[in-house]
Amino acid sequence: MAANMYRVGDYVFFENSSSNPYLIRRIEELNKTASGNVEAKVVCFYRRRDISHSLIQLADKHAKELEEEKESPAETELTDKQKHQLRHRELFLSRQYESLPATHIRGKCSVALLNETEAVLSYLDKEDTFFYSLVYDPTQKTLLADKGEIRVGPRFQADVPEMLPEAGQADDRDQAKLEEKLWDPECPLTNKQIDQFLVVARAVGTFARALDCSSSVRQPSLHMSAAAASRDITLFHAMDTLHAHNYDLSSALSVLVPAGGPVLCRDEMEEWSASEAAMFEEALEKYGKDFNDIRQDFLPWKSLTSIIEYYYMWKTTDRYVQQKRLKAAEAESKLKQVYIPTYNKPNPNQISLTNGKMATVNGAGPGTFHAAGGGRACESCYTMQSAQWYSWGPPNMQCRLCVSCWMYWKKYGGLKMPSRAEAPEERTSPSPAANEPRSRSHAPRQSNHIPMRNSGSPKSSMKTKQAFLLQATRLTKLARHMCRDVIRLRRAARRPFVPINCGAIKAECKSAFNSS
């Protein structure tokens, strides 16, 4: 039951297609629709196969720079297989949200920010574990480092200043850059005298707002003007005035009301208009506390300092309390968790044995497989034995995966070992030949490739540096000359995807040998 209970914050596998790898998402909300179904609002993660080749090169460059900055390099050199599988564990976070039916959830996984102080092999030791270090923007097609990255390396070391001179020695520091004393707690005034002076400062601020035309429009009532005059900006001005006049009350009072009229001190809450405040709340709902994006997209005429200062003042208002209550009420109406039963329907790519031929469950797949010898080996682990088989790759390649490699491919978006039909970013490997003659394209030997990467799917095109070659055995060469009636092996390469009838070849060869 616990494994099938999904909550907000869980990282999960989503299945949007039976023939594609799972999507990896983080649940942000669980909402019940009017029809009674449950939809999950999720954050999207992307795999290497989902982004362009140029961005993959940028990500590899970033990883290399992080490796070079480590104080202690990796203790063990990674094997080709480990490097291959680590690519399947790397994800790219995005700020993109989407809504998906909760019934498409296929299990839980774990996604963590890359820990640069931990061995990268630790991610391979854990099942269904992924990592990310970069943020992908699918709209702008950019990769950026996550703001929460662990800052390790010589670039982030603190610059320790030189030791300060001892007492009595000359201090050559720039005094303008040093801190300035703003209040003396040992001042001669009592707490009662200070409070009385602050009351006078508030009264002056209220009177100043009554005389100011723009303030009377924004605060039409006396209570609103008094509340605005009681804010921190007025108190800070009063205390700064006291400190500047060496805590002389009579001198400080004369400064509060100069010859031109009472001093009016405004903060960001008063400087912003009602429309600007509404735009800020809309931006905050969309971007959260990302003040740079708020300024860029909603309030470009405001400074970043002004926006940040307004935010922390806005949090003290009744408006913030009301919105917080509304969000709490909305959260109560949302689902905290949802139970999704284990998905056990047969996959359309599942292969079943019918009339001596291998075919997909729904009858529409990559054609048929020759039943003699159990069909082709698994494209990943090359095994010939499996409790279940799944068709994989382009239909004309007639590839299949065992049940273990199929689940690996669904979860990690790649094969355990590189295959000739896998995504072209991986190198190719030949399948072990069965005990039967094969046409030229069925038994390629390992070759280097120039990848032509697009979506990363098995259908990606590629160019070869050298042609494939089949090294035929003497028995195969002899069979080509002896078998002329039942099957002409010399012409088999013209139809590379038609199975070769090994039984007929053996019978004709045996008959020819006996007659000779």
Side-chain angles (χ1 to χ4, degrees):
M1 291 287 291
N4 294 90
M5 195 68 71
Y6 299 92
R7 300 174 177 84
V8 173
D10 285 346
Y11 296 90
V12 295
F13 293 114
F14 269 92
E15 186 173 36
N16 67 338
S17 172
S18 61
S19 57
N20 289 333
Y22 293 141
L23 306 176
I24 298 178
R25 302 290 187 260
R26 184 180 71 235
I27 301 177
E28 291 295 304
E29 294 178 5
L30 291 169
N31 303 312
K32 196 168 185 178
T33 63
S35 59
N37 299 323
V38 177
E39 280 193 349
K41 180 182 178 182
V42 295
V43 176
C44 301
F45 287 85
Y46 290 85
R47 304 178 190 267
R48 292 173 65 95
R49 58 184 284 136
D50 300 326
I51 65 178
S52 64
H53 182 54
S54 59
L55 292 181
I56 287 293
Q57 291 178 329
L58 185 62
D60 292 340
K61 181 181 178 182
H62 174 76
K64 186 177 181 181
E65 291 175 353
L66 292 179
E67 185 67 25
E68 292 174 351
E69 289 179 359
K70 287 185 178 180
E71 296 181 359
S72 56
E75 298 179 358
T76 57
E77 186 69 20
L78 299 178
T79 64
D80 290 342
K81 180 180 178 180
Q82 290 170 338
K83 292 178 182 178
H84 171 80
Q85 293 183 352
L86 275 174
R87 296 190 189 103
H88 303 153
R89 303 298 184 106
E90 183 179 12
L91 301 177
F92 301 96
L93 173 66
S94 75
R95 308 300 183 191
Q96 180 180 354
Y97 292 86
E98 63 182 11
S99 294
L100 297 172
T103 53
H104 288 191
I105 296 177
R106 296 294 180 263
K108 297 180 182 179
C109 59
S110 175
V111 181
L113 179 65
L114 176 62
N115 188 348
E116 298 168 13
T117 61
E118 186 178 359
V120 71
L121 285 179
S122 62
Y123 296 100
L124 288 181
D125 298 334
K126 303 171 185 176
E127 188 72 16
D128 302 337
T129 300
F130 302 85
F131 65 89
Y132 75 94
S133 61
L134 298 174
V135 179
Y136 173 60
D137 187 341
T139 304
Q140 302 294 332
K141 306 297 182 183
T142 57
L143 276 181
L144 298 174
D146 188 73
K147 295 179 180 179
E149 65 178 339
I150 302 175
R151 297 177 177 266
V152 178
R155 288 190 302 165
F156 309 111
Q157 299 304 310
D159 295 328
V160 181
E162 297 181 1
M163 186 176 64
L164 297 177
E166 297 180 359
Q169 296 181 0
D171 189 354
D172 58 351
R173 292 178 296 171
D174 186 0
Q175 299 297 317
K177 295 182 179 179
L178 300 182
E179 294 180 350
E180 180 182 356
K181 189 175 183 179
L182 298 178
W183 184 260
D184 186 4
E186 304 296 334
C187 67
L189 299 178
T190 63
N191 290 338
K192 183 178 180 180
Q193 290 175 314
I194 295 174
D195 291 340
Q196 290 174 337
F197 181 77
L198 294 179
V199 170
V200 173
R202 293 191 191 99
V204 172
T206 304
F207 181 57
R209 284 166 175 78
L211 297 178
D212 183 67
C213 296
S214 61
S215 296
S216 61
V217 173
R218 296 180 182 182
Q219 288 101 19
S221 67
L222 178 62
H223 293 289
M224 294 178 65
S225 297
S230 300
R231 300 186 66 83
D232 289 343
I233 189 69
T234 304
L235 303 183
F236 289 159
H237 173 69
M239 298 179 75
D240 290 343
T241 303
L242 268 181
H243 181 73
H245 290 79
N246 201 21
Y247 304 96
D248 184 354
L249 287 175
S250 60
S251 177
L253 285 170
S254 64
V255 174
L256 289 180
V257 188
V263 175
L264 176 58
C265 301
R266 287 200 184 110
D267 57 17
E268 293 295 334
M269 289 299 297
E270 292 182 86
E271 293 291 346
W272 286 43
S273 65
S275 60
E276 289 175 335
M279 291 177 66
F280 172 80
E281 292 177 359
E282 181 184 352
L284 195 67
E285 181 71 21
K286 181 177 181 180
Y287 292 120
K289 293 193 294 184
D290 196 336
F291 300 114
N292 284 306
D293 288 347
I294 291 176
R295 178 176 181 270
Q296 181 178 353
D297 294 347
F298 284 85
L299 300 163
W301 58 90
K302 295 288 186 181
S303 67
L304 189 61
T305 303
S306 174
I307 294 175
I308 295 174
E309 185 177 344
Y310 179 82
Y311 167 74
Y312 285 103
M313 291 182 177
W314 174 79
K315 288 188 70 174
T316 65
T317 62
D318 293 337
R319 176 73 176 175
Y320 170 76
V321 176
Q322 293 174 2
Q323 289 199 0
K324 196 172 182 181
R325 288 174 181 172
L326 288 175
K327 288 186 177 180
E330 290 178 1
E332 287 295 328
S333 64
K334 296 182 183 298
L335 299 177
K336 299 294 187 301
Q337 59 186 15
V338 62
Y339 176 81
I340 306 296
T342 303
Y343 186 81
N344 53 12
K345 294 182 180 179
N347 191 293
N349 290 71
Q350 184 176 322
I351 300 172
S352 61
L353 184 62
T354 305
N355 296 328
K357 293 185 177 182
M358 305 293 284
T360 54
V361 170
N362 61 358
T368 58
F369 292 85
H370 189 244
R376 295 189 61 172
C378 173
E379 287 294 321
S380 179
C381 64
Y382 311 134
T383 182
M384 299 294 294
Q385 304 292 330
S386 177
Q388 189 55 255
W389 293 95
Y390 295 85
S391 63
W392 178 84
N396 60 348
M397 296 190 70
Q398 300 186 16
C399 301
R400 65 176 184 172
L401 296 177
C402 65
V403 62
S404 174
C405 294
W406 173 260
M407 288 308 303
Y408 182 94
W409 181 73
K410 290 289 285 185
K411 289 182 177 181
Y412 303 112
L415 301 186
K416 292 181 181 179
M417 289 298 294
S419 166
R420 68 176 180 274
E422 201 187 358
E425 69 171 301
E426 317 292 356
R427 64 179 178 85
T428 60
S429 291
S431 300
N435 296 326
E436 57 180 278
R438 285 195 173 187
S439 60
R440 180 168 298 175
S441 61
H442 277 166
R445 64 180 185 180
Q446 187 171 335
S447 172
N448 297 325
H449 290 88
I450 303 174
M452 303 286 289
R453 185 183 180 90
N454 45 27
S455 63
S457 68
K459 298 183 180 180
S460 302
S461 59
M462 60 180 70
K463 295 180 180 180
T464 58
K465 287 184 177 179
Q466 63 184 23
F468 290 124
L469 175 65
L470 171 65
Q471 187 66 35
T473 63
R474 293 184 178 179
L475 186 60
T476 303
K477 294 179 179 179
L478 182 61
R480 289 175 180 173
H481 294 281
M482 298 186 66
C483 300
R484 299 182 181 276
D485 297 330
V486 178
I487 183 172
R488 296 184 178 274
L489 289 180
R490 290 183 177 275
R491 298 180 181 178
R494 300 176 186 176
R495 297 180 297 170
F497 303 111
V498 176
I500 297 175
N501 192 337
C502 296
I505 294 175
K506 292 179 181 179
E508 186 174 356
C509 288
K510 186 176 181 181
S511 175
F513 282 135
N514 292 336
S515 62
S516 60

